[in-house]
């Protein structure tokens, strides 16, 4: 059974590859066209140095997935892409390279449901740049080890972007789903990949899905609903933006969401050597208790505490639900099959090779008959 991380190569200065249950520190760089990037952007990555802005990338410890973060529209906030750092930083600490680009269309208030939204091309250019032009591109896992997460208009854009591309997992925070009016097809029921949706029951009205819309989505799907959640609560209350009338009554939503997003990508889009995560991250996405060595504890201060702090505040009610696929991995062929849509070969897998799993294990590929839209070799 593949249930423990693969040890890193001798080139790694620590004894593990960064992952969601054994994090490190993080670094970030602000780049733009003068640096060869297609647009102004920030790129977050794992590091052993706490200096952040000058911290070097941690190399030699296995390869990392790419995650694109798409911001939304905040009127009069011309650098809104720079307000987002908690979720990118948490993911970077967990073994991801996260790119947060400036999206001119969203920034200008252009609804992502309209045909030929310009930011779709921007995300294409940014993804191509990080995989082929970024100086540290060799540390990246190849497609489909690409995730997308977005907020508001960015969630809508991210869902649209994930259709028809090699995207491994998608998370949307308070997307304006009830404000989808353009000519492009509504993307959520078309996404055949692991999906996480988050919204609030406060004045986050346009983000709430009906039960029929939720049931119409493919599995595995995860839903997080904050009882008192507001549209901008994913930004900590210390971040003042002109579109935000004030922080909601629950001050832990930003940290809790960062925890859940991190668990989601850990389960479905793990770093190269983190073969334990498909088993150790539960389908509920509730962060498990960390079991760390003294060296790992040095890096883990303040990590994964947001969700559990919700329980200490009565105004922070939350409902987390999931509808996961029943998966069966074949240890001999390293292939992952579906028990909900099985192919003819599932019944022929020998008992010793049958491994029920909650997510596709790292190093395994999808059965191209059970999952024709996810086939990756």
């Amino acid at each position: 059974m593949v249930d423990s991380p693969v040890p890193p190569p001798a080139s790694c200065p620590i004894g593990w590859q960064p992952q969601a249950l054994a994090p490190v520190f993080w670094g970030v760089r602000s780049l733009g066209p003068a640096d060869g990037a297609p647009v102004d952007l920030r790129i977050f990555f794992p590091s052993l140095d706490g200096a952040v802005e000058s911290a070097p990338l941690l190399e030699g410890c296995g390869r990392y997935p790419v995650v694109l973060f798409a911001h939304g529209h905040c009127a009069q906030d011309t650098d809104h892409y720079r307000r987002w750092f908690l979720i990118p930083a948490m993911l970077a600490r967990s073994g991801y390279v996260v790119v947060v680009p400036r999206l001119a269309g969203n920034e200008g208030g252009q609804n992502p449901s309209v045909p030929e939204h310009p930011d779709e091309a921007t995300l294409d250019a940014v993804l191509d740049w990080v995989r082929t032009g970024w100086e540290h591109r060799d540390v990246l896992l190849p497609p489909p080890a690409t995730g997308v997460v977005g907020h508001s208009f960015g969630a809508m854009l991210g869902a649209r972007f994930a259709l028809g591309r090699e995207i491994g997992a998608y998370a949307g925070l308070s997307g304006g789903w009830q404000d989808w009016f353009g000519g492009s097809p509504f993307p959520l029921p078309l996404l055949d990949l692991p999906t996480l949706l988050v919204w609030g029951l406060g004045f986050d009205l346009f983000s709430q899905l009906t039960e029929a819309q939720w049931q119409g989505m493919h599995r595995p799907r995860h839903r997080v609903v904050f009882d008192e959640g507001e549209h901008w609560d994913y930004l900590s209350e210390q971040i003042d933006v002109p579109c935000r009338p004030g922080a909601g009554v629950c001050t832990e939503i930003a940290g809790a969401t960062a925890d859940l997003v991190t668990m989601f990508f850990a389960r479905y889009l793990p770093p190269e050597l983190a073969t334990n995560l498909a088993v150790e991250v539960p389908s509920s996405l509730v962060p498990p208790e960390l079991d760390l060595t003294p060296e790992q504890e040095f890096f883990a201060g303040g990590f994964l505490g947001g969700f559990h702090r919700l329980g200490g505040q009565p105004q922070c009610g939350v409902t987390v639900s999931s509808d996961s696929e029943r998966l069966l991995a074949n240890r001999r062929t390293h292939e992952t099959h579906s028990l909900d849509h099985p192919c003819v070969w599932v019944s022929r897998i020998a008992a010793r090779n049958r491994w029920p799993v909650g997510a596709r294990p790292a190093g395994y590929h999808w059965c191209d008959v059970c999952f024709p839209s996810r086939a990756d070799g």
Side-chain angles (χ1 to χ4, degrees):
M1 179 179 294
V2 182
D3 58 1
S4 59
V6 175
S11 57
C12 184
I14 55 176
W16 71 97
Q17 182 180 36
Q19 51 136 304
L21 302 183
V24 291
F25 296 148
W26 59 284
V28 65
R29 296 290 186 274
S30 296
L31 305 174
D35 307 294
V39 294
D40 292 334
L41 55 82
R42 305 184 82 197
I43 186 164
F44 297 72
F45 47 80
S47 179
L48 301 183
D49 191 327
V52 181
E53 296 284 348
S54 60
L57 170 76
L58 175 59
E59 299 182 83
C61 296
R63 295 175 296 176
Y64 310 125
V66 175
V67 176
L68 296 177
F69 186 100
H71 68 81
H73 170 63
C74 182
Q76 301 177 333
D77 191 12
T78 56
D79 285 331
H80 187 62
Y81 78 102
R82 297 181 66 87
R83 310 295 176 240
W84 294 92
F85 67 87
L86 181 57
I87 291 173
M90 283 278 288
L91 288 171
R93 295 183 68 184
S94 304
Y96 298 85
V97 170
V98 186
V99 191
V100 188
R102 181 195 297 276
L103 300 171
N106 281 358
E107 193 172 77
Q110 190 169 357
N111 189 301
S113 66
V114 301
E116 299 181 5
H117 192 279
D119 291 341
E120 194 168 1
T122 298
L123 290 181
D124 271 326
V126 168
L127 184 57
D128 179 69
W129 167 79
V130 75
R131 289 200 172 280
T132 63
W134 184 44
E135 61 177 321
H136 299 296
R137 56 190 177 274
D138 290 344
V139 305
L140 303 177
L141 281 167
T146 305
V148 176
V149 56
H151 171 252
S152 191
F153 272 12
M156 300 164 72
L157 175 72
R160 175 175 171 172
F161 181 79
L163 292 177
R165 293 178 172 86
E166 290 187 285
I167 304 299
Y170 161 78
L173 314 177
S174 289
W177 307 119
Q178 305 310 327
D179 195 27
W180 190 281
F181 59 81
S184 299
F186 187 59
L188 292 184
L190 304 177
L191 289 175
D192 190 11
L193 75 171
T195 299
L196 167 66
L197 296 180
V198 186
W199 66 80
L201 294 181
F203 290 99
D204 201 15
L205 301 178
F206 291 100
S207 302
Q208 301 167 13
L209 291 188
T210 66
E211 188 62 22
Q213 288 175 315
W214 167 251
Q215 293 296 338
M217 293 172 55
H218 288 273
R219 293 183 292 176
R221 56 181 184 249
H222 299 263
R223 175 174 55 180
V224 178
V225 180
F226 291 102
D227 292 353
E228 301 294 337
E230 305 290 351
H231 195 72
W232 296 98
D233 283 350
Y234 310 103
L235 293 172
S236 66
E237 57 184 336
Q238 290 79 23
I239 298 177
D240 185 21
V241 290
C243 50
R244 183 182 193 176
V249 298
C250 177
T251 59
E252 299 296 340
I253 287 178
T257 301
D259 288 358
L260 293 166
V261 169
T262 299
M263 290 294 101
F264 170 73
F265 283 111
R267 180 175 171 86
Y268 295 108
L269 196 71
E272 181 177 24
L273 307 180
T275 52
N276 59 310
L277 294 179
V279 174
E280 294 187 29
V281 175
S283 62
S284 67
L285 305 184
V286 174
E289 184 176 350
L290 299 181
D291 182 15
L292 304 175
T293 67
E295 184 184 10
Q296 291 170 335
E297 288 177 351
F298 172 77
F299 295 100
F303 190 74
L304 289 184
F307 182 82
H308 293 294
R309 287 194 295 269
L310 293 173
Q313 300 190 30
Q315 71 274 27
C316 290
V318 62
T319 301
V320 182
S321 55
S322 62
D323 194 355
S324 298
E325 293 167 308
R326 296 181 302 151
L327 301 178
L328 182 71
N330 186 336
R331 292 194 187 99
R332 184 180 66 83
T333 63
H334 281 200
E335 193 166 51
T336 307
H337 296 267
S338 169
L339 292 176
D340 296 309
H341 304 92
C343 68
V344 66
W345 296 289
V346 167
S347 61
R348 302 176 186 175
I349 300 174
R352 64 181 180 278
N353 294 323
R354 299 172 72 91
W355 177 24
V357 293
R360 183 185 66 169
Y364 282 59
H365 60 273
W366 294 113
C367 165
D368 59 3
V369 178
C370 298
F371 303 101
S373 63
R374 296 188 214 166
D376 55 9

